[in-house]
Amino acid sequence: MRTSDQDGVLLYAFTCGYITLPMSFFLDGEPGKAKVPACVFLIDHPKGLVLFDSGFSDRFIGMEKGLGKIVDMPAGETVSDKLRGLDIDPAQIDYVINSHLHIDHAGGNRLIPDATIISQSSEWDYGMAGEDTAYAIEDFDTGQPVQRITGELDLFDDGTVIIFPTAGHTPGHQSVQVKTATGLAILAGDCCNMRRSLDEMHLPDHCFNVDQYRGSLEKLSKIRRAGAQIFYGHDPDFWAMIPQSESLNLNRIGEPK
Ligand SMILES: [Zn+2]
């Protein structure tokens, strides 16, 4: 953890469950299946602790039927378990930024009792409509205050944590740019599933809005060319290179440029 405010903004990554889906779900036309991680990030800013996404709910632990056939949520790996592993009480978290409200991104919201949830307004409304089975209202609407935003938000007003819209996967998908001492990180979420999504401008076989999705990928591509480190939403090979539960040094990630 930080030793002083001079450390700047620290970034931590951890996995909170897995889901197995057809590969085409991530990259259109690809054969086979992929078991992919639910990626969660902790942003440690001098003015507050922030989560980007919260992984799968603990309700999936031991579930064998229904969604339990494709979701693997090991005991001891919920977002609150991972935080405690860093000596952080989940009640210390000030904000949860949900990239979107699908079950693999907002399932742990319930376990973060005193945070404000930050969602694009359009995403919240769409999820609350209850018509799309990728959402579970019981997972994401768990009583905390919700800060609904439209467009960009500079969370601490200092340019270090900037939330920006990346619609297409869902109506109100959002990503976060984090300025750390070792470089610029983009926590993409599902607007960019894998490194190949960007390398090849390769869309998934389905999305809420294809034109918006392509626009979001193009936005990320430009940011990557400028030198930022993109954290792809569901890339098992990329994720295997990321040290878990320790302060990340972006210079040591070793992604081929
Ligand atoms: Zn996802």
Side-chain angles (χ1 to χ4, degrees):
M1 293 304 295
R2 72 175 46 258
T3 47
S4 83
D5 287 358
Q6 306 304 318
D7 294 342
V9 179
L10 306 178
L11 183 63
Y12 298 79
F14 30 79
T15 311
C16 296
Y18 301 85
I19 186 164
T20 303
L21 289 166
M23 191 64 182
S24 60
F25 197 91
F26 305 104
L27 297 168
D28 187 25
E30 289 290 306
K33 288 187 176 185
K35 181 177 179 180
V36 303
C39 305
V40 175
F41 298 87
L42 171 70
I43 304 164
D44 180 355
H45 184 284
K47 288 191 191 151
L49 293 173
V50 184
L51 281 174
F52 178 71
D53 284 336
S54 60
F56 278 106
S57 167
D58 54 333
R59 69 187 169 91
F60 289 105
I61 297 171
M63 187 190 284
E64 286 172 7
K65 293 187 177 159
L67 281 171
K69 290 183 185 151
I70 56 169
V71 175
D72 177 17
M73 181 70 235
E77 295 196 13
T78 64
V79 65
S80 48
D81 294 321
K82 296 288 170 94
L83 288 171
R84 285 195 195 95
L86 288 169
D87 278 333
I88 294 173
D89 180 335
Q92 286 175 258
I93 301 293
D94 300 292
Y95 298 100
V96 176
I97 301 167
N98 287 126
S99 63
H100 60 304
L101 299 170
H102 282 170
I103 56 170
D104 52 328
H105 295 263
N109 283 16
R110 188 180 75 70
L111 303 168
I112 313 297
D114 293 335
T116 294
I117 309 296
I118 303 179
S119 169
Q120 292 287 321
S121 208
S122 52
E123 182 70 14
W124 192 266
D125 287 342
Y126 185 78
M128 287 301 279
E131 287 165 9
D132 186 327
T133 54
Y135 295 79
I137 294 173
E138 65 182 289
D139 277 5
F140 67 81
D141 184 24
T142 51
Q144 302 94 324
V146 179
Q147 184 175 349
R148 300 163 58 120
I149 63 172
T150 299
E152 216 172 277
L153 177 70
D154 181 346
L155 187 57
F156 295 107
D157 259 335
D158 63 358
T160 57
V161 181
I162 296 176
I163 304 167
F164 62 99
T166 44
H169 176 66
T170 61
H173 193 283
Q174 58 188 359
S175 304
V176 175
Q177 172 181 297
V178 187
K179 200 182 276 180
T180 76
T182 57
L184 210 55
I186 303 293
L187 314 181
D190 291 3
C191 73
C192 184
N193 289 316
M194 298 192 176
R195 183 195 299 158
R196 284 182 56 200
S197 313
L198 264 198
D199 292 351
E200 304 164 10
M201 295 307 268
H202 197 145
L203 270 64
D205 67 2
H206 71 288
C207 45
F208 180 76
N209 182 308
V210 175
D211 290 338
Q212 286 180 342
Y213 200 108
R214 197 171 286 118
S216 294
L217 269 188
E218 280 164 4
K219 197 184 288 189
L220 255 61
S221 184
K222 209 177 280 177
I223 300 172
R224 186 171 74 167
R225 278 200 302 276
Q229 174 65 57
I230 311 287
F231 288 81
Y232 310 98
H234 285 298
D235 189 327
D237 297 330
F238 172 75
W239 198 239
M241 303 193 310
I242 307 300
Q244 301 236 341
S245 296
E246 63 178 70
S247 172
L248 294 178
N249 180 337
L250 300 188
N251 297 317
R252 293 211 190 120
I253 286 178
E255 182 186 15
K257 294 280 181 201

